């Protein structure tokens, strides 16, 4: 049965059960000479319907998670000893062939199978015509395993259907028998709803935790090959891609990357904070309605431009311009430089700062401005000494948000600052950032146990710690000021 | 000539107050307005309005809400300038000086005419900095000692010093509502004004805090020309010497407070004071 049909069936079952149980609640009410039910009949209906559908859904989900484990266990157990002894990489290829074959088993006739066993020249093409795509022609023993696996799968499916139906029917009867005048159906339904809401937020939380832990474990794996101190305090980034098995592991000093990240972000903020803040002040305090309605959306369009477009702009227009301009002043500015990336990234984050700060400044109560004007302060004195200090926590939050955008930015850096890890104070030279190196370590031919690849996780973890620290700091500032101002 | 008088709209006759209030004989007039009008866009909020407000006394503006009390009050320190749609006509003088004269800087005017608002609006700064705000921007204090003296004196005059002397550095927003309002009064006093305008200064306060502010207003009367807008007739009766009754953008009647409350001349004043509308 297709997923769509299944969903439809579930919905139909839900409505039917709901209707049945509601009617039952009503007739019970009448049979007891109008003795009031604790909850309205609707709730009885929903209660029984939920009891019918939820256990069945849980069974389906649990089965979908457990089945692959069970099948792969059967498969590994059936592998010939010489194959089982091969390294994991080669084994996975064999497993892939068996799996694909098992998946399509039901579409193969006995004649097809015989042909596969004979291993004729056109086997792969014949299978492909039946939507079975194999990386290599299967050997005889693979066909045997595939048959076993496919049989195990059919049995498992049959069982799953049985258990699901059982769960649904069991749930239904359990609920059905409980419908009575005293059943606190509304409270029970509300509790189930609450559980649903809680599990929705749990999804977000557990995903985060899962990501953090997987990054953490891979990083620990990395640090078992490269000492933490070499990573954190190393000043050279040179992760030579080495042939598998060879010992030369390269150097993994994160400092040049960290430096590049912070240096570029610094320039970006140097551009974005003054420009963004001043435009926010103009928009919220000085601009009349006509200017606002035109200029504000224009500024916000900046935020909608994909960063790759900024990168392009930096690469083909701004970088060369800066190089030539520097040349005319006698400065040696590389087309890819900290300055180029910083300035372009600064332009990119202007709208974050200006738009958020504008909202925050506009939210400062008019009564504070009136109070200041009433004491004979000018508009600029009022803005500087009353409005901005009151808006400061929010503005700091906006700046930190922009900073974490800058730190996480990749495309602009690749195109505007280059990919050479460089520990330099000269803003006219190339540098690169952690995000860029994460990408470059993970592209190309991968070998998942080498420090060259695993270092990406360590970089990711470092980045995560930095942005987390930034957010905690931002929250702290906002809290302290808020206590003072409310 | 007679015909012209006859054609005058009815509302103009209301300005003709029978006798000059007794308080005006004891005090010199501080604020004098002649034919003041205010428009918000096309809508007229104040019709030509003449009034004399005595120095070193408390004058109360009463009237139903929306009748233009705040609007008129805000003309006296030109706060209406901050509302883009507002237009003010006519003439207002303080000590004989036209405050809408283009040669006069509105910033100087507002230092001379302090204002206290309906809702206490301390700045999100320390108590000290709240009071020091005005003196700092006007450059009143030459050094820190001067500034401290101004702050302490203002707090003492506003009757707040004893309550806050140990926590001048804590935020002004942490005070109670009544204390905040007295802080705002102290803040206004700190720039050394002659006139203090108060727009329903007690409407957000409980009765005890209100009584405390009324006491304070009574003390300040010795040194300032105070104008207070209030919706409470009892308050007007308790604190003011002169009362002006506004209705629908016009000044209906003005007179000594006692006379106004015991023997109002105008029918509408009578009705309002008796609580027949409002
Ligand atoms: N900023 C403004 N823009 C337009 N109309 C206003 C504004 N402020 C007040 N008004 C109008 O002017 C009239 C007088 O208002 P206000 O002076 O606040 O009355 P009061 O203080 O006596 O309650 C009201 O009709 C009010 O709607
Ligand atoms: Mg008002």
């Amino acid at each position: 049965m297709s997923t769509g049909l299944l969903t439809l069936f579930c919905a139909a079952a839900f409505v039917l059960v709901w209707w049945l149980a509601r009617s039952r609640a009503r007739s019970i009410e009448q049979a007891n000479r109008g003795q009031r039910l604790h909850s309205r009949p609707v709730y009885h209906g929903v209660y029984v319907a939920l009891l019918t559908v939820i256990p069945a859904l849980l069974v389906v989900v649990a089965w979908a998670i457990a089945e692959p484990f069970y099948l792969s266990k059967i498969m590994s157990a059936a592998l010939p000893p010489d194959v089982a002894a091969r390294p994991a990489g080669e084994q996975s290829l064999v497993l892939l062939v068996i799996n694909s074959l098992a998946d399509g088993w039901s579409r193969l006739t006995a004649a097809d199978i015989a042909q596969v066993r004979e291993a004729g020249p056109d086997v792969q093409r014949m299978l492909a015509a039946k939507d079975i795509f194999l990386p290599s022609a299967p050997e005889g023993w693979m066909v045997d395993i595939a048959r076993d696996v496919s049989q195990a799968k059919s049995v498992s499916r049959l069982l799953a259907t049985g258990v699901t139906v059982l769960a649904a029917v069991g749930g239904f009867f359990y609920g059905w028998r409980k419908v009575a005048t005293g059943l606190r159906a509304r409270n029970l339904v509300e509790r189930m709803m609450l559980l649903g809401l809680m599990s929705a937020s749990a999804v977000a939380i557990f995903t985060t935790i899962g990501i953090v832990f997987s990054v953490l474990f891979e990083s620990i794996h990395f640090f078992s090959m490269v000492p933490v101190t070499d990573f954190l305090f190393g000043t050279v980034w040179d992760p030579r891609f080495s042939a598998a098995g060879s010992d030369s592991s390269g150097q993994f000093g994160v400092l040049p990357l960290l430096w590049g990240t912070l240096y570029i972000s610094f320039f970006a903020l140097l551009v974005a904070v003054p420009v963004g803040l001043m435009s926010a002040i103009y928009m919220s305090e000085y601009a009349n309605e006509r200017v606002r309605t035109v200029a504000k959306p224009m500024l916000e369009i900046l935020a909608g431009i994909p960063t790759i477009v900024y990168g392009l702009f930096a690469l083909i227009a701004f970088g060369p311009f800066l190089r030539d301009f520097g040349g005319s002043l006698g400065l040696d500015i590389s087309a890819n430089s900290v300055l180029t990336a910083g300035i372009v990234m600064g332009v990119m984050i202007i709208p974050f700062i200006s738009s958020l700060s504008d909202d925050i400044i506009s939210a400062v109560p008019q009564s504070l401005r009136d109070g200041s004007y009433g004491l004979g302060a000018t508009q600029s004195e009022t803005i500087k000494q009353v409005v901005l200090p009151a808006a400061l926590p929010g503005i700091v939050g906006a700046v930190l948000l922009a900073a974490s955008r800058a730190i996480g930015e990749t495309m602009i850096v690749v195109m505007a600052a280059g990919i050479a890890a460089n520990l330099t104070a000269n803003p006219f030279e190339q540098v690169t950032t952690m995000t860029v190196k994460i990408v470059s370590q993970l592209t190309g031919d991968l070998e998942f146990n080498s420090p060259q690849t695993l270092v990406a996780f360590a970089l990711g973890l470092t980045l995560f710690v930095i942005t987390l620290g930034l957010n905690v700091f931002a929250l702290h500032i906002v809290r302290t000021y808020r206590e003072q101002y409310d | 000539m007679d015909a012209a008088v006859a054609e005058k709209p009815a509302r103009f006759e209301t300005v003709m107050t029978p006798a000059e209030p007794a308080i005006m004989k004891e005090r010199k007039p501080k604020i004098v307005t002649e034919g003041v009008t205010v428009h918000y866009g096309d809508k007229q909020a104040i019709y030509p309005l003449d009034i004399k407000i005595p120095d070193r006394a408390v004058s109360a503006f009463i009237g139903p809400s929306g009748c233009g009390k705040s609007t008129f009050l805000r003309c006296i320190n030109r706060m209406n300038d901050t509302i883009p749609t507002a237009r003010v006509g006519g003439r207002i003088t303080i000590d004989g000086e036209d405050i809408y004269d283009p040669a006069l800087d509105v910033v100087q005017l507002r230092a001379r005419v302090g204002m206290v608002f309906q809702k206490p609006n301390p700045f999100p700064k320390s108590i000290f900095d709240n009071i020091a705000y005005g003196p700092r921007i006007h450059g009143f204090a030459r050094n820190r000692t001067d500034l401290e003296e101004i702050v302490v004196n203002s707090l003492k005059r506003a009757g707040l010093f004893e309550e806050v002397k140990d926590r001048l550095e804590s935020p002004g927003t942490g005070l109670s509502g009544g204390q905040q309002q007295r802080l705002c009064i102290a803040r206004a006093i700190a720039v050394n004004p002659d006139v203090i305008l108060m727009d329903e200064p007690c409407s957000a306060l409980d009765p005890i805090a209100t009584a405390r502010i009324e006491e304070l207003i009574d003390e300040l009367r010795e040194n300032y020309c105070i104008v207070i807008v209030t919706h409470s007739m009892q308050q007007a009766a308790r604190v003011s010497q002169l009362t002006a009754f506004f209705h629908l953008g016009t000044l209906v009647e003005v007179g000594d407070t006692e006379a106004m409350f015991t023997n109002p001349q105008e029918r509408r004043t009578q009705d309002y004071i008796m609580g027949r509308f409002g």
Side-chain angles (χ1 to χ4, degrees), chain A residues 1-15 53 56-61 63-64 157 160-162 164-165 168:
Chain A
M1 217 185 321
S2 75
T3 325
L5 258 167
L6 201 69
T7 318
L8 212 66
F9 180 75
C10 278
F14 187 90
V15 173
V53 172
L57 280 180
L58 286 181
V59 169
V60 169
V61 169
W63 215 279
R157 288 289 152 90
T161 314
T164 308
V165 169

PDB file of all heavy atoms in Angstrom, chain A residues 1-15 53 56-61 63-64 157 160-162 164-165 168:
ATOM      1  N   MET A   1       0.836  -1.197   0.000  1.00  0.00           N
ATOM      2  CA  MET A   1       0.000   0.000   0.000  1.00  0.00           C
ATOM      3  C   MET A   1       0.879   1.258   0.000  1.00  0.00           C
ATOM      4  O   MET A   1       1.847   1.325   0.744  1.00  0.00           O
ATOM      5  CB  MET A   1      -0.888  -0.011   1.248  1.00  0.00           C
ATOM      6  CG  MET A   1      -2.257   0.552   0.912  1.00  0.00           C
ATOM      7  SD  MET A   1      -3.338   0.712   2.332  1.00  0.00           S
ATOM      8  CE  MET A   1      -3.050  -0.720   3.309  1.00  0.00           C
ATOM      9  N   SER A   2       0.523   2.219  -0.821  1.00  0.00           N
ATOM     10  CA  SER A   2       1.358   3.416  -0.886  1.00  0.00           C
ATOM     11  C   SER A   2       1.125   4.279   0.356  1.00  0.00           C
ATOM     12  O   SER A   2       0.110   4.132   1.043  1.00  0.00           O
ATOM     13  CB  SER A   2       1.020   4.221  -2.130  1.00  0.00           C
ATOM     14  OG  SER A   2      -0.209   4.877  -1.932  1.00  0.00           O
ATOM     15  N   THR A   3       2.049   5.159   0.613  1.00  0.00           N
ATOM     16  CA  THR A   3       1.950   5.996   1.806  1.00  0.00           C
ATOM     17  C   THR A   3       0.703   6.864   1.761  1.00  0.00           C
ATOM     18  O   THR A   3       0.029   7.062   2.777  1.00  0.00           O
ATOM     19  CB  THR A   3       3.193   6.915   1.906  1.00  0.00           C
ATOM     20  OG1 THR A   3       4.303   6.194   1.402  1.00  0.00           O
ATOM     21  CG2 THR A   3       3.442   7.347   3.315  1.00  0.00           C
ATOM     22  N   GLY A   4       0.397   7.380   0.588  1.00  0.00           N
ATOM     23  CA  GLY A   4      -0.770   8.246   0.445  1.00  0.00           C
ATOM     24  C   GLY A   4      -2.043   7.515   0.831  1.00  0.00           C
ATOM     25  O   GLY A   4      -2.844   8.013   1.628  1.00  0.00           O
ATOM     26  N   LEU A   5      -2.188   6.327   0.301  1.00  0.00           N
ATOM     27  CA  LEU A   5      -3.377   5.536   0.604  1.00  0.00           C
ATOM     28  C   LEU A   5      -3.457   5.233   2.093  1.00  0.00           C
ATOM     29  O   LEU A   5      -4.520   5.286   2.707  1.00  0.00           O
ATOM     30  CB  LEU A   5      -3.309   4.221  -0.171  1.00  0.00           C
ATOM     31  CG  LEU A   5      -4.187   4.171  -1.416  1.00  0.00           C
ATOM     32  CD1 LEU A   5      -3.832   2.985  -2.278  1.00  0.00           C
ATOM     33  CD2 LEU A   5      -5.650   4.127  -1.006  1.00  0.00           C
ATOM     34  N   LEU A   6      -2.288   4.902   2.658  1.00  0.00           N
ATOM     35  CA  LEU A   6      -2.225   4.558   4.070  1.00  0.00           C
ATOM     36  C   LEU A   6      -2.698   5.729   4.919  1.00  0.00           C
ATOM     37  O   LEU A   6      -3.494   5.564   5.851  1.00  0.00           O
ATOM     38  CB  LEU A   6      -0.778   4.194   4.423  1.00  0.00           C
ATOM     39  CG  LEU A   6      -0.623   3.359   5.683  1.00  0.00           C
ATOM     40  CD1 LEU A   6      -1.169   1.978   5.464  1.00  0.00           C
ATOM     41  CD2 LEU A   6       0.849   3.298   6.081  1.00  0.00           C
ATOM     42  N   THR A   7      -2.219   6.922   4.567  1.00  0.00           N
ATOM     43  CA  THR A   7      -2.614   8.110   5.309  1.00  0.00           C
ATOM     44  C   THR A   7      -4.119   8.308   5.215  1.00  0.00           C
ATOM     45  O   THR A   7      -4.792   8.601   6.212  1.00  0.00           O
ATOM     46  CB  THR A   7      -1.911   9.356   4.729  1.00  0.00           C
ATOM     47  OG1 THR A   7      -0.569   9.014   4.437  1.00  0.00           O
ATOM     48  CG2 THR A   7      -1.957  10.509   5.695  1.00  0.00           C
ATOM     49  N   LEU A   8      -4.625   8.146   4.000  1.00  0.00           N
ATOM     50  CA  LEU A   8      -6.055   8.309   3.777  1.00  0.00           C
ATOM     51  C   LEU A   8      -6.833   7.318   4.632  1.00  0.00           C
ATOM     52  O   LEU A   8      -7.827   7.652   5.276  1.00  0.00           O
ATOM     53  CB  LEU A   8      -6.355   8.072   2.292  1.00  0.00           C
ATOM     54  CG  LEU A   8      -7.514   8.872   1.731  1.00  0.00           C
ATOM     55  CD1 LEU A   8      -7.161  10.349   1.741  1.00  0.00           C
ATOM     56  CD2 LEU A   8      -7.841   8.398   0.327  1.00  0.00           C
ATOM     57  N   PHE A   9      -6.341   6.084   4.653  1.00  0.00           N
ATOM     58  CA  PHE A   9      -6.996   5.036   5.415  1.00  0.00           C
ATOM     59  C   PHE A   9      -7.002   5.377   6.903  1.00  0.00           C
ATOM     60  O   PHE A   9      -8.021   5.255   7.584  1.00  0.00           O
ATOM     61  CB  PHE A   9      -6.258   3.712   5.170  1.00  0.00           C
ATOM     62  CG  PHE A   9      -6.848   2.562   5.921  1.00  0.00           C
ATOM     63  CD1 PHE A   9      -8.042   1.991   5.507  1.00  0.00           C
ATOM     64  CD2 PHE A   9      -6.213   2.055   7.039  1.00  0.00           C
ATOM     65  CE1 PHE A   9      -8.590   0.939   6.206  1.00  0.00           C
ATOM     66  CE2 PHE A   9      -6.758   1.007   7.737  1.00  0.00           C
ATOM     67  CZ  PHE A   9      -7.950   0.437   7.309  1.00  0.00           C
ATOM     68  N   CYS A  10      -5.854   5.844   7.383  1.00  0.00           N
ATOM     69  CA  CYS A  10      -5.746   6.238   8.789  1.00  0.00           C
ATOM     70  C   CYS A  10      -6.753   7.325   9.108  1.00  0.00           C
ATOM     71  O   CYS A  10      -7.457   7.269  10.131  1.00  0.00           O
ATOM     72  CB  CYS A  10      -4.346   6.771   9.098  1.00  0.00           C
ATOM     73  SG  CYS A  10      -3.172   5.472   9.416  1.00  0.00           S
ATOM     74  N   ALA A  11      -6.824   8.347   8.230  1.00  0.00           N
ATOM     75  CA  ALA A  11      -7.731   9.464   8.466  1.00  0.00           C
ATOM     76  C   ALA A  11      -9.167   8.956   8.501  1.00  0.00           C
ATOM     77  O   ALA A  11      -9.952   9.339   9.382  1.00  0.00           O
ATOM     78  CB  ALA A  11      -7.557  10.512   7.376  1.00  0.00           C
ATOM     79  N   ALA A  12      -9.491   8.073   7.558  1.00  0.00           N
ATOM     80  CA  ALA A  12     -10.849   7.536   7.504  1.00  0.00           C
ATOM     81  C   ALA A  12     -11.158   6.758   8.784  1.00  0.00           C
ATOM     82  O   ALA A  12     -12.228   6.928   9.388  1.00  0.00           O
ATOM     83  CB  ALA A  12     -11.004   6.644   6.284  1.00  0.00           C
ATOM     84  N   ALA A  13     -10.196   5.934   9.217  1.00  0.00           N
ATOM     85  CA  ALA A  13     -10.383   5.156  10.432  1.00  0.00           C
ATOM     86  C   ALA A  13     -10.595   6.082  11.623  1.00  0.00           C
ATOM     87  O   ALA A  13     -11.473   5.861  12.457  1.00  0.00           O
ATOM     88  CB  ALA A  13      -9.169   4.263  10.668  1.00  0.00           C
ATOM     89  N   PHE A  14      -9.818   7.150  11.645  1.00  0.00           N
ATOM     90  CA  PHE A  14      -9.912   8.109  12.750  1.00  0.00           C
ATOM     91  C   PHE A  14     -11.313   8.699  12.808  1.00  0.00           C
ATOM     92  O   PHE A  14     -11.965   8.697  13.842  1.00  0.00           O
ATOM     93  CB  PHE A  14      -8.876   9.216  12.541  1.00  0.00           C
ATOM     94  CG  PHE A  14      -8.764  10.164  13.692  1.00  0.00           C
ATOM     95  CD1 PHE A  14      -7.870   9.918  14.723  1.00  0.00           C
ATOM     96  CD2 PHE A  14      -9.551  11.297  13.750  1.00  0.00           C
ATOM     97  CE1 PHE A  14      -7.772  10.780  15.784  1.00  0.00           C
ATOM     98  CE2 PHE A  14      -9.462  12.163  14.812  1.00  0.00           C
ATOM     99  CZ  PHE A  14      -8.564  11.905  15.835  1.00  0.00           C
ATOM    100  N   VAL A  15     -11.794   9.171  11.644  1.00  0.00           N
ATOM    101  CA  VAL A  15     -13.106   9.811  11.606  1.00  0.00           C
ATOM    102  C   VAL A  15     -14.199   8.805  11.979  1.00  0.00           C
ATOM    103  O   VAL A  15     -15.100   9.107  12.762  1.00  0.00           O
ATOM    104  CB  VAL A  15     -13.371  10.411  10.211  1.00  0.00           C
ATOM    105  CG1 VAL A  15     -14.800  10.916  10.114  1.00  0.00           C
ATOM    106  CG2 VAL A  15     -12.391  11.527   9.937  1.00  0.00           C
ATOM    107  N   VAL A  53      -5.562   5.061  16.746  1.00  0.00           N
ATOM    108  CA  VAL A  53      -4.571   5.399  15.719  1.00  0.00           C
ATOM    109  C   VAL A  53      -3.149   5.447  16.271  1.00  0.00           C
ATOM    110  O   VAL A  53      -2.211   4.952  15.641  1.00  0.00           O
ATOM    111  CB  VAL A  53      -4.948   6.744  15.059  1.00  0.00           C
ATOM    112  CG1 VAL A  53      -3.854   7.200  14.137  1.00  0.00           C
ATOM    113  CG2 VAL A  53      -6.257   6.580  14.313  1.00  0.00           C
ATOM    114  N   ALA A  56      -1.105   2.140  16.691  1.00  0.00           N
ATOM    115  CA  ALA A  56      -0.793   1.586  15.376  1.00  0.00           C
ATOM    116  C   ALA A  56       0.350   2.360  14.726  1.00  0.00           C
ATOM    117  O   ALA A  56       1.301   1.781  14.189  1.00  0.00           O
ATOM    118  CB  ALA A  56      -2.034   1.628  14.491  1.00  0.00           C
ATOM    119  N   LEU A  57       0.282   3.693  14.817  1.00  0.00           N
ATOM    120  CA  LEU A  57       1.344   4.515  14.229  1.00  0.00           C
ATOM    121  C   LEU A  57       2.680   4.228  14.902  1.00  0.00           C
ATOM    122  O   LEU A  57       3.721   4.125  14.244  1.00  0.00           O
ATOM    123  CB  LEU A  57       1.011   5.999  14.369  1.00  0.00           C
ATOM    124  CG  LEU A  57       0.021   6.545  13.344  1.00  0.00           C
ATOM    125  CD1 LEU A  57      -0.238   8.024  13.588  1.00  0.00           C
ATOM    126  CD2 LEU A  57       0.559   6.336  11.931  1.00  0.00           C
ATOM    127  N   LEU A  58       2.637   4.079  16.226  1.00  0.00           N
ATOM    128  CA  LEU A  58       3.881   3.799  16.953  1.00  0.00           C
ATOM    129  C   LEU A  58       4.492   2.491  16.463  1.00  0.00           C
ATOM    130  O   LEU A  58       5.705   2.398  16.249  1.00  0.00           O
ATOM    131  CB  LEU A  58       3.618   3.733  18.462  1.00  0.00           C
ATOM    132  CG  LEU A  58       3.383   5.080  19.132  1.00  0.00           C
ATOM    133  CD1 LEU A  58       3.148   4.906  20.631  1.00  0.00           C
ATOM    134  CD2 LEU A  58       4.579   5.999  18.898  1.00  0.00           C
ATOM    135  N   VAL A  59       3.644   1.474  16.258  1.00  0.00           N
ATOM    136  CA  VAL A  59       4.146   0.181  15.773  1.00  0.00           C
ATOM    137  C   VAL A  59       4.809   0.372  14.406  1.00  0.00           C
ATOM    138  O   VAL A  59       5.920  -0.102  14.161  1.00  0.00           O
ATOM    139  CB  VAL A  59       3.005  -0.846  15.675  1.00  0.00           C
ATOM    140  CG1 VAL A  59       3.473  -2.078  14.914  1.00  0.00           C
ATOM    141  CG2 VAL A  59       2.517  -1.226  17.060  1.00  0.00           C
ATOM    142  N   VAL A  60       4.132   1.105  13.514  1.00  0.00           N
ATOM    143  CA  VAL A  60       4.674   1.306  12.163  1.00  0.00           C
ATOM    144  C   VAL A  60       6.049   1.971  12.241  1.00  0.00           C
ATOM    145  O   VAL A  60       7.018   1.532  11.616  1.00  0.00           O
ATOM    146  CB  VAL A  60       3.700   2.152  11.312  1.00  0.00           C
ATOM    147  CG1 VAL A  60       4.370   2.581  10.014  1.00  0.00           C
ATOM    148  CG2 VAL A  60       2.444   1.364  11.039  1.00  0.00           C
ATOM    149  N   VAL A  61       6.123   3.026  13.059  1.00  0.00           N
ATOM    150  CA  VAL A  61       7.386   3.760  13.148  1.00  0.00           C
ATOM    151  C   VAL A  61       8.488   2.866  13.722  1.00  0.00           C
ATOM    152  O   VAL A  61       9.606   2.788  13.179  1.00  0.00           O
ATOM    153  CB  VAL A  61       7.209   5.032  14.011  1.00  0.00           C
ATOM    154  CG1 VAL A  61       8.554   5.662  14.333  1.00  0.00           C
ATOM    155  CG2 VAL A  61       6.316   6.024  13.299  1.00  0.00           C
ATOM    156  N   TRP A  63       8.704  -0.319  13.689  1.00  0.00           N
ATOM    157  CA  TRP A  63       9.071  -1.352  12.720  1.00  0.00           C
ATOM    158  C   TRP A  63       9.987  -0.793  11.648  1.00  0.00           C
ATOM    159  O   TRP A  63      10.999  -1.386  11.292  1.00  0.00           O
ATOM    160  CB  TRP A  63       7.810  -1.941  12.072  1.00  0.00           C
ATOM    161  CG  TRP A  63       7.968  -3.391  11.789  1.00  0.00           C
ATOM    162  CD1 TRP A  63       8.618  -3.919  10.712  1.00  0.00           C
ATOM    163  CD2 TRP A  63       7.522  -4.483  12.575  1.00  0.00           C
ATOM    164  NE1 TRP A  63       8.607  -5.275  10.787  1.00  0.00           N
ATOM    165  CE2 TRP A  63       7.930  -5.655  11.923  1.00  0.00           C
ATOM    166  CE3 TRP A  63       6.814  -4.578  13.780  1.00  0.00           C
ATOM    167  CZ2 TRP A  63       7.646  -6.915  12.430  1.00  0.00           C
ATOM    168  CZ3 TRP A  63       6.531  -5.831  14.270  1.00  0.00           C
ATOM    169  CH2 TRP A  63       6.955  -6.986  13.604  1.00  0.00           C
ATOM    170  N   ALA A  64       9.625   0.401  11.185  1.00  0.00           N
ATOM    171  CA  ALA A  64      10.427   1.013  10.115  1.00  0.00           C
ATOM    172  C   ALA A  64      11.855   1.266  10.581  1.00  0.00           C
ATOM    173  O   ALA A  64      12.801   1.210   9.808  1.00  0.00           O
ATOM    174  CB  ALA A  64       9.780   2.318   9.663  1.00  0.00           C
ATOM    175  N   ARG A 157       7.201  -7.867   6.810  1.00  0.00           N
ATOM    176  CA  ARG A 157       6.094  -6.976   6.429  1.00  0.00           C
ATOM    177  C   ARG A 157       4.752  -7.530   6.870  1.00  0.00           C
ATOM    178  O   ARG A 157       3.896  -6.808   7.391  1.00  0.00           O
ATOM    179  CB  ARG A 157       6.086  -6.752   4.913  1.00  0.00           C
ATOM    180  CG  ARG A 157       7.205  -5.877   4.420  1.00  0.00           C
ATOM    181  CD  ARG A 157       6.979  -4.424   4.839  1.00  0.00           C
ATOM    182  NE  ARG A 157       8.243  -3.730   4.970  1.00  0.00           N
ATOM    183  CZ  ARG A 157       8.840  -3.071   3.965  1.00  0.00           C
ATOM    184  NH1 ARG A 157       8.260  -3.025   2.794  1.00  0.00           N
ATOM    185  NH2 ARG A 157       9.991  -2.481   4.154  1.00  0.00           N
ATOM    186  N   ALA A 160       4.408  -7.123  10.474  1.00  0.00           N
ATOM    187  CA  ALA A 160       4.183  -5.715  10.802  1.00  0.00           C
ATOM    188  C   ALA A 160       2.710  -5.375  10.619  1.00  0.00           C
ATOM    189  O   ALA A 160       2.086  -4.751  11.485  1.00  0.00           O
ATOM    190  CB  ALA A 160       5.040  -4.825   9.909  1.00  0.00           C
ATOM    191  N   THR A 161       2.151  -5.802   9.490  1.00  0.00           N
ATOM    192  CA  THR A 161       0.745  -5.507   9.234  1.00  0.00           C
ATOM    193  C   THR A 161      -0.118  -6.101  10.334  1.00  0.00           C
ATOM    194  O   THR A 161      -0.995  -5.423  10.894  1.00  0.00           O
ATOM    195  CB  THR A 161       0.321  -6.092   7.878  1.00  0.00           C
ATOM    196  OG1 THR A 161       1.326  -5.761   6.916  1.00  0.00           O
ATOM    197  CG2 THR A 161      -1.010  -5.540   7.443  1.00  0.00           C
ATOM    198  N   GLY A 162       0.172  -7.351  10.680  1.00  0.00           N
ATOM    199  CA  GLY A 162      -0.611  -8.012  11.713  1.00  0.00           C
ATOM    200  C   GLY A 162      -0.550  -7.269  13.028  1.00  0.00           C
ATOM    201  O   GLY A 162      -1.584  -6.955  13.637  1.00  0.00           O
ATOM    202  N   THR A 164       0.274  -4.222  13.608  1.00  0.00           N
ATOM    203  CA  THR A 164      -0.341  -2.894  13.533  1.00  0.00           C
ATOM    204  C   THR A 164      -1.853  -2.988  13.698  1.00  0.00           C
ATOM    205  O   THR A 164      -2.458  -2.249  14.486  1.00  0.00           O
ATOM    206  CB  THR A 164      -0.014  -2.237  12.171  1.00  0.00           C
ATOM    207  OG1 THR A 164       1.384  -2.289  11.965  1.00  0.00           O
ATOM    208  CG2 THR A 164      -0.490  -0.803  12.129  1.00  0.00           C
ATOM    209  N   VAL A 165      -2.438  -3.905  12.962  1.00  0.00           N
ATOM    210  CA  VAL A 165      -3.892  -4.059  13.046  1.00  0.00           C
ATOM    211  C   VAL A 165      -4.287  -4.437  14.470  1.00  0.00           C
ATOM    212  O   VAL A 165      -5.241  -3.903  15.045  1.00  0.00           O
ATOM    213  CB  VAL A 165      -4.371  -5.118  12.038  1.00  0.00           C
ATOM    214  CG1 VAL A 165      -5.831  -5.482  12.311  1.00  0.00           C
ATOM    215  CG2 VAL A 165      -4.205  -4.611  10.631  1.00  0.00           C
ATOM    216  N   ALA A 168      -4.181  -1.446  16.663  1.00  0.00           N
ATOM    217  CA  ALA A 168      -5.306  -0.551  16.421  1.00  0.00           C
ATOM    218  C   ALA A 168      -6.571  -1.110  17.051  1.00  0.00           C
ATOM    219  O   ALA A 168      -7.296  -0.416  17.773  1.00  0.00           O
ATOM    220  CB  ALA A 168      -5.494  -0.350  14.918  1.00  0.00           C
TER     221      ALA A 168
END
